[in-house]
Amino acid sequence: MASPGHSDLGEVAPEIKASERRTAVAIADLEWREMEGDDCEFRYGDGTNEAQDNDFPTVERSRLQEMLSLLGLEMYQVQKLSLQDSLQISFDSMKNWAPQVPKDLPWNFLRKLQALNADARNTTMVLDVLPDARPVEKESQMEEEIIYWDPADDLAADIYSFSELPTPDTPVNPLDLLCALLLSSDSFLQQEIALKMALCQFALPLVLPDSENHYHTFLLWAMRGIVRTWWSQPPRGVGSFREDSVVLSRAPTFAFVRMDVSSNSKSQLLNAVLSPGHRQWDCFWHRDLNLGTNAREISDGLVEISWFFPSGREDLDIFPEPVAFLNLRGDIGSHWLQFKLLTEISSAVFILTDNISKKEYKLLYSMKESTTKYYFILSPYRGKRNTNLRFLNKLIPVLKIDHSHVLVKVSSTDSDSFVKRIRAIVGNVLRAPCRRVSVEDMAHAARKLGLKVDEDCEECQKAKDRMERITRKIKDSDAYRRDELRLQGDPWRKAAQVEKEFCQLQWAVDPPEKHRAELRRRLLELRMQQNGHDPSLGVQEFISGISSPSLSEKQYFLRWMEWGLARVAQLRLRQPPETLLTLRPKHGGTTDLGEPLWPEPLGVEHFLREMGQFYEAESCLVEAGRLPAGQRRFAHFPGLASELLLTGLPLELIDGSTLSMPVRWVTGLLKELHVRLERRSRLVVLSTVGVPGTGKSTLLNTMFGLRFATGKSCSPRGAFMQLITVAEGFSQDLGCDHILVIDSGGLIGGALTSAGDRFELEASLATLLMGLSNVTVISLAETKDIPAAILHAFLRLEKTGHMPNYQFVYQNLHDVSVPGPRPRDKRQLLDPPGDLSRAAAQMEKQGDGFRALAGLAFCDPEKQHIWHIPGLWHGAPPMAAVSLAYSEAIFELKRCLLENIRNGLSNQNKNIQQLIELVRRL
């Protein structure tokens, strides 16, 4: 049994083979079943008994397969649905469609979840698909009113309670949809689903039931990527800001379970406990929500988890520290293994029931050695009152409880006072010494009980071991870059500066040949110096990781590297937001362009950057005849990088350390991409530029499900590109096979004046990114805040005749209620420019020929080229969810962008070869 604290959970349990898992489940279950003597049959932890082992599992197996078939997911049981499959652009990406049949539900859920839509869990189906289709109301509300408990949430799961399976005409319970989709998804799509659900403030699946295979899965890997921020009290004090992975941070944990039948809903109670003030957020799906009363078919035994995180404000915070809450779906008697896990990881367990019979008494009696606190929540109007009291009196000494541990919820009218009482109990437990566990600790306990942990597969563990061999040598990020990533030091900065000068010299009227030769000589010296190094052991280990023949192991390795480097970099700034906002790029004309503009974390991009420099140096020497082509060692590096781009990893286009593009590396990568894509190499390039901190990366991630880094304090400094595949059936209609998305990060928009090296650099980078693009999204914090560098880029591109389709996006970072920019604001944005714009025109020698910005950007003020995006959050972070208005506005912007691409308004689409030539010219 568990002891106080978490030390017993922190040990790595020996691996339990799959063949031994059912035995372990049976042993765990036998602990209390043996006590029932001859009157009780032996039952396995999944609800089956020995006498019915041949028949009962067959019914369950058929039920799961029927559900998968109904949802169209049967085909994904061998070859799982991948993240890349779910992100493909198709005709449905342009429609705000409503599902009509059950087979539409998984794709509708994924599409809405990608867009962070708070309505994603709604499984309503409609017969007529209308642009603004809304879920149909139930024909009769009377049935809901006379139901005392939800058959899906609160009815005892015995063999006689099985309902008929859903038909194409009946809705599917949202929890069944979630379980079926997770069982059909690979590890990386599961991870993406969990991440998006966390952003929507949905409860996350922790233990995934799978009755057909007689074991359940603890979803540790699925939660690895979730990072949360919070503020401890007193507010905004030194060190009060925290940011950590939910998998690693330890917190008190409280479990809510049902025993037999309860007229009170666990999920509604949990939502009320977690919701501040009078605004209730439906974190856990419950009976009173649309379709909440539909019977669950395959999701009984699901364990969900959610957290409360404090904001540092006493008037808003329910608890002063992070607290985890667990919810077991179904009756504990039918899901004993999950209940046993909850008792071993929780600080307290709340048991909701209307009846305590001899069977339930013996079940709880088996927990007499547990140190967990137990609380009972009863209803006075249901069940056998005298019997309940008799058994409770017997349990008081066994479970070491008193009468204060028995709560009676009198009626719905006392909900507020009852919720306050539950919060008070939780607060009292927090103030006393109590068990604090992380999700990793929970996984250790799950292994000991025989549950499968998703992270324990061989490929994942091999990738983790490789990551640890690299990261354990990183004691200091700056020292590691200096000693192990040697090509990114002074030689690369100097080489980048020489190449910039050499490029500028090509445009001179009559450049002196002597100066040209001197630059060429200096460049070759620097490249020979770089080429004289060998990759360090860490870089060699990294190359081995991305060279694995197993695609899954390669993807596991990259994810492990991201988290491992984030953990050891020690750049998790424990400061309040006011301090983080000061981490902005430096301004002025005397800035050293090689000097970091803000603290840059050590990331995967640094290892890929090192590979790129080995390739650049070697290619430069081969071009100059200083190295025979047959002696090349790094010619295969672009091929490795292109494979990563195809798997969905963002790759660096503009080097964040020197703020320049490694042209040979980028063109080599694109050539390899062209070879791998063969006939499907038609591209549309979409870029974002604008003011730092206006949510550009978040916008792209929400729109297309991408993985660009977000957050000003810890994002890499370079510009990154990521590839999106267009479904083959839609590529002809859209006019391209892939969309290459470029995120400018914080490179552009920081210069306050239209002069100096910083401004010139920004103007050049803006010209480069916009010149490569078919579509450019310009992100603004204020309607008149167009950075001077972008205005210069407009002018320079007008000279070349290449003008992408522009979309101006005003992101409302504060006020959620503002419906959109007023017409006067639009006119001001598109009116002839003011002093700054006139100065830009003079600098570019356009004189009085400078036209209105509307003309330059092909913007018709009467048409929708200007977008107002409402505030991202609904409520106060960190407990805020993404607002529905933000999600809907992002979808409409995405639809418009795709429509422009399809209609040919995005300039001429390119193939990869043409893009390579454009990169060289720009």
Side-chain angles (χ1 to χ4, degrees):
M1 296 295 176
S3 59
H6 55 261
S7 58
D8 57 320
L9 299 176
E11 300 173 8
V12 179
E15 291 189 5
I16 299 177
K17 297 179 181 178
S19 60
E20 299 172 353
R21 188 169 285 112
R22 180 160 180 158
T23 303
V25 172
I27 292 172
D29 206 21
L30 187 59
E31 290 182 10
W32 74 273
R33 296 289 182 184
E34 283 181 330
M35 299 167 48
E36 304 228 2
D38 297 334
D39 296 332
C40 180
E41 295 175 298
F42 174 80
R43 288 182 180 269
Y44 292 103
D46 59 5
T48 66
N49 62 57
E50 195 172 35
Q52 296 172 324
D53 194 26
N54 292 328
D55 299 324
F56 190 77
T58 304
V59 175
E60 285 293 292
R61 181 161 48 251
S62 173
R63 188 168 295 276
L64 177 59
Q65 292 302 322
E66 288 275 349
M67 179 61 68
L68 294 172
S69 176
L70 182 72
L71 296 173
L73 296 173
E74 230 173 1
M75 67 182 74
Y76 298 110
Q77 297 315 294
V78 178
Q79 185 69 32
K80 299 292 187 180
L81 185 65
S82 72
L83 176 58
Q84 294 304 100
D85 292 334
S86 70
L87 298 181
Q88 280 194 357
I89 302 292
S90 66
F91 183 72
D92 289 334
S93 303
M94 301 178 62
K95 297 190 303 180
N96 192 12
W97 57 280
Q100 292 180 280
V101 294
K103 284 183 172 61
D104 293 338
L105 292 174
W107 305 103
N108 181 66
F109 175 78
L110 288 173
R111 179 179 63 85
K112 286 191 172 182
L113 196 63
Q114 174 188 311
L116 304 178
N117 191 310
D119 204 29
R121 296 177 295 185
N122 192 334
T123 58
T124 302
M125 292 174 286
V126 298
L127 296 178
D128 296 319
V129 180
L130 298 174
D132 295 320
R134 291 286 181 267
V136 294
E137 298 293 333
K138 288 181 176 289
E139 293 182 2
S140 173
Q141 297 294 331
M142 186 175 296
E143 291 183 4
E144 292 186 10
E145 293 172 3
I146 65 173
I147 293 176
Y148 291 100
W149 60 86
D150 176 14
D153 190 37
D154 294 311
L155 187 60
D158 57 61
I159 194 168
Y160 302 104
S161 69
F162 291 139
S163 61
E164 292 296 322
L165 282 164
T167 67
D169 298 326
T170 60
V172 175
N173 188 286
L175 295 175
D176 286 341
L177 171 63
L178 175 63
C179 289
L181 187 55
L182 289 171
L183 289 169
S184 307
S185 303
D186 69 10
S187 298
F188 305 99
L189 180 53
Q190 287 180 350
Q191 201 172 79
E192 184 71 6
I193 290 172
L195 176 61
K196 297 294 187 181
M197 289 181 69
L199 288 171
C200 292
Q201 293 289 3
F202 297 161
L204 306 181
L206 184 69
V207 177
L208 180 64
D210 183 359
S211 56
E212 178 172 335
N213 296 309
H214 304 291
Y215 58 71
H216 314 298
T217 303
F218 188 96
L219 299 178
L220 175 62
W221 170 262
M223 296 196 190
R224 276 283 174 192
I226 301 173
V227 176
R228 297 298 299 266
T229 59
W230 67 92
W231 290 263
S232 57
Q233 296 179 1
R236 307 299 189 263
V238 176
S240 66
F241 176 74
R242 293 291 306 277
E243 182 178 71
D244 205 354
S245 164
V246 298
V247 166
L248 300 176
S249 59
R250 288 189 167 98
T253 302
F254 297 84
F256 284 69
V257 301
R258 172 170 57 81
M259 185 169 65
D260 194 27
V261 175
S262 173
S263 53
N264 295 308
S265 168
K266 305 187 308 298
S267 303
Q268 282 181 298
L269 180 59
L270 278 166
N271 290 339
V273 169
L274 283 166
S275 300
H278 298 287
R279 182 189 67 84
Q280 178 161 322
W281 179 254
D282 294 313
C283 180
F284 293 91
W285 192 266
H286 60 85
R287 64 175 66 164
D288 283 351
L289 293 174
N290 190 24
L291 307 178
T293 55
N294 286 359
R296 292 193 301 269
E297 304 294 342
I298 64 171
S299 55
D300 272 344
L302 172 70
V303 178
E304 298 169 288
I305 186 170
S306 188
W307 289 266
F308 171 84
F309 291 98
S311 65
R313 293 177 51 183
E314 293 185 10
D315 58 327
L316 291 179
D317 290 344
I318 302 169
F319 307 110
E321 62 176 297
V323 183
F325 292 90
L326 301 172
N327 183 12
L328 170 61
R329 301 287 181 166
D331 169 41
I332 61 175
S334 301
H335 307 287
W336 176 249
L337 186 64
Q338 288 94 318
F339 177 61
K340 189 170 179 62
L341 173 65
L342 299 190
T343 63
E344 293 195 7
I345 63 179
S346 300
S347 303
V349 176
F350 291 82
I351 302 172
L352 285 76
T353 187
D354 289 341
N355 293 302
I356 305 177
S357 64
K358 181 179 179 182
K359 174 182 174 182
E360 279 73 36
Y361 166 75
K362 291 185 175 181
L363 185 156
L364 293 172
Y365 185 86
S366 68
M367 307 305 299
K368 60 183 178 181
E369 300 298 326
S370 172
T371 59
T372 301
K373 292 180 171 63
Y374 293 90
Y375 295 86
F376 291 86
I377 298 177
L378 307 175
S379 169
Y381 307 120
R382 307 288 300 178
K384 301 175 182 178
R385 183 172 181 176
N386 292 334
T387 304
N388 289 346
L389 291 175
R390 185 173 70 253
F391 282 120
L392 280 172
N393 285 325
K394 290 182 179 181
L395 286 171
I396 284 176
V398 174
L399 299 180
K400 304 176 183 62
I401 62 175
D402 55 37
H403 290 89
S404 67
H405 288 233
V406 180
L407 313 176
V408 178
K409 191 174 187 300
V410 178
S411 68
S412 59
T413 59
D414 72 335
S415 294
D416 290 343
S417 60
F418 191 79
V419 167
K420 290 179 181 177
R421 191 174 176 189
I422 297 293
R423 290 175 177 173
I425 292 172
V426 173
N428 290 334
V429 174
L430 296 180
R431 284 188 288 273
C434 67
R435 177 185 292 138
R436 283 172 166 79
V437 297
S438 66
V439 177
E440 273 193 347
D441 296 332
M442 298 178 190
H444 294 320
R447 289 188 186 97
K448 294 178 180 179
L449 292 175
L451 274 76
K452 172 187 173 184
V453 178
D454 58 353
E455 228 172 63
D456 290 348
C457 69
E458 182 181 0
E459 291 177 322
C460 182
Q461 290 305 308
K462 285 175 64 177
K464 181 181 180 182
D465 292 342
R466 191 184 296 277
M467 175 273 294
E468 290 177 341
R469 288 198 293 271
I470 297 173
T471 56
R472 72 166 60 105
K473 296 179 180 179
I474 306 175
K475 307 303 180 184
D476 177 80
S477 296
D478 292 335
Y480 188 85
R481 288 184 219 181
R482 182 179 62 251
D483 300 335
E484 299 293 321
L485 306 177
R486 295 182 289 268
L487 270 61
Q488 297 174 53
D490 286 337
W492 168 222
R493 290 193 179 94
K494 292 176 181 177
Q497 187 61 37
V498 170
E499 288 192 333
K500 287 177 186 176
E501 292 181 28
F502 193 81
C503 185
Q504 291 168 357
L505 205 60
Q506 290 180 316
W507 297 95
V509 178
D510 188 17
E513 186 59 35
K514 183 178 179 180
H515 185 44
R516 187 197 298 268
E518 174 61 21
L519 290 175
R520 189 179 293 110
R521 183 192 63 79
R522 285 167 52 194
L523 179 61
L524 287 174
E525 283 182 359
L526 292 167
R527 291 305 190 185
M528 288 183 70
Q529 182 181 343
Q530 286 183 307
N531 197 57
H533 291 288
D534 290 322
S536 65
L537 293 178
V539 174
Q540 291 179 40
E541 193 74 60
F542 179 85
I543 294 169
S544 297
I546 65 173
S547 302
S548 171
S550 167
L551 177 60
S552 294
E553 186 177 334
K554 187 185 307 183
Q555 291 177 297
Y556 277 122
F557 171 69
L558 289 168
R559 295 291 173 93
W560 278 119
M561 282 294 295
E562 291 173 7
W563 303 324
L565 292 171
R567 199 70 186 169
V568 303
Q570 301 300 316
L571 289 174
R572 298 294 191 190
L573 301 177
R574 300 190 175 186
Q575 299 172 357
E578 290 84 350
T579 307
L580 297 181
L581 290 174
T582 64
L583 295 172
R584 294 179 57 88
K586 296 182 179 180
H587 311 300
T590 60
T591 303
D592 179 4
L593 300 183
E595 181 184 353
L597 304 179
W598 60 80
E600 184 185 17
L602 183 65
V604 170
E605 67 273 7
H606 290 89
F607 289 84
L608 288 167
R609 195 184 293 170
E610 188 79 356
M611 292 173 59
Q613 283 309 299
F614 275 110
Y615 180 82
E616 283 267 331
E618 188 177 75
S619 298
C620 182
L621 296 180
V622 170
E623 291 172 8
R626 298 292 185 93
L627 180 71
Q631 295 182 15
R632 298 197 66 162
R633 296 181 294 163
F634 312 119
H636 63 294
F637 281 5
L640 295 176
S642 67
E643 290 174 1
L644 302 184
L645 190 64
L646 287 171
T647 61
L649 182 74
L651 294 186
E652 197 173 47
L653 179 67
I654 294 177
D655 190 309
S657 64
T658 63
L659 304 183
S660 62
M661 178 188 288
V663 178
R664 296 178 186 84
W665 170 246
V666 171
T667 55
L669 189 158
L670 292 175
K671 286 179 182 177
E672 290 292 336
L673 185 65
H674 180 67
V675 171
R676 282 161 173 75
L677 293 179
E678 296 179 344
R679 294 177 292 105
R680 303 202 71 222
S681 62
R682 294 177 302 163
L683 281 181
V684 162
V685 180
L686 186 152
S687 65
T688 60
V689 297
V691 179
T694 54
K696 299 183 297 298
S697 303
T698 301
L699 181 145
L700 292 174
N701 294 346
T702 306
M703 195 182 305
F704 296 111
L706 304 178
R707 297 181 53 217
F708 292 120
T710 58
K712 283 176 283 192
S713 64
C714 58
S715 296
R717 295 173 51 215
F720 286 77
M721 57 183 174
Q722 190 170 346
L723 196 66
I724 309 172
T725 301
V726 178
E728 289 196 37
F730 186 53
S731 61
Q732 194 63 35
D733 190 19
L734 193 62
C736 63
D737 303 303
H738 294 84
I739 298 176
L740 186 69
V741 182
I742 301 174
D743 179 18
S744 67
L747 294 180
I748 299 167
L752 297 178
T753 62
S754 56
D757 293 341
R758 177 65 190 171
F759 168 78
E760 183 58 38
L761 175 64
E762 285 193 6
S764 299
L765 292 175
T767 305
L768 172 62
L769 295 179
M770 294 160 65
L772 292 175
S773 305
N774 301 97
V775 181
T776 296
V777 175
I778 299 172
S779 183
L780 305 171
E782 303 292 342
T783 52
K784 293 186 285 187
D785 187 12
I786 300 179
I790 293 178
L791 292 174
H792 275 257
F794 280 133
L795 295 165
R796 293 177 180 180
L797 290 174
E798 189 186 24
K799 292 180 186 178
T800 69
H802 176 85
M803 294 295 289
N805 175 265
Y806 294 104
Q807 300 292 324
F808 294 89
V809 175
Y810 165 56
Q811 298 221 48
N812 185 357
L813 304 181
H814 305 290
D815 187 6
V816 182
S817 61
V818 179
R822 298 179 297 276
R824 179 176 58 84
D825 296 327
K826 290 186 178 183
R827 287 198 302 273
Q828 286 177 345
L829 176 64
L830 298 174
D831 275 344
D835 295 338
L836 179 61
S837 300
R838 294 186 189 280
Q842 292 171 3
M843 286 184 66
E844 297 296 337
K845 297 182 174 60
Q846 296 291 314
D848 295 332
F850 186 83
R851 300 195 305 274
L853 181 57
L856 281 175
F858 299 111
C859 286
D860 182 347
E862 302 303 319
K863 295 182 179 179
Q864 191 117 21
H865 290 275
I866 303 171
W867 299 82
H868 172 79
I869 306 296
L872 174 63
W873 301 115
H874 178 61
M879 292 302 293
V882 174
S883 75
L884 185 62
Y886 177 86
S887 174
E888 291 176 344
I890 293 295
F891 174 79
E892 188 60 26
L893 174 59
K894 175 183 178 179
R895 187 199 60 76
C896 177
L897 293 176
L898 294 177
E899 193 68 45
N900 286 347
I901 293 171
R902 186 168 68 169
N903 294 336
L905 300 180
S906 58
N907 210 324
Q908 187 176 2
N909 297 343
K910 313 170 179 68
N911 60 37
I912 294 179
Q913 291 284 21
Q914 291 170 328
L915 181 62
I916 292 171
E917 290 303 316
L918 194 56
V919 167
R920 286 173 174 158
R921 282 198 294 117
L922 287 171

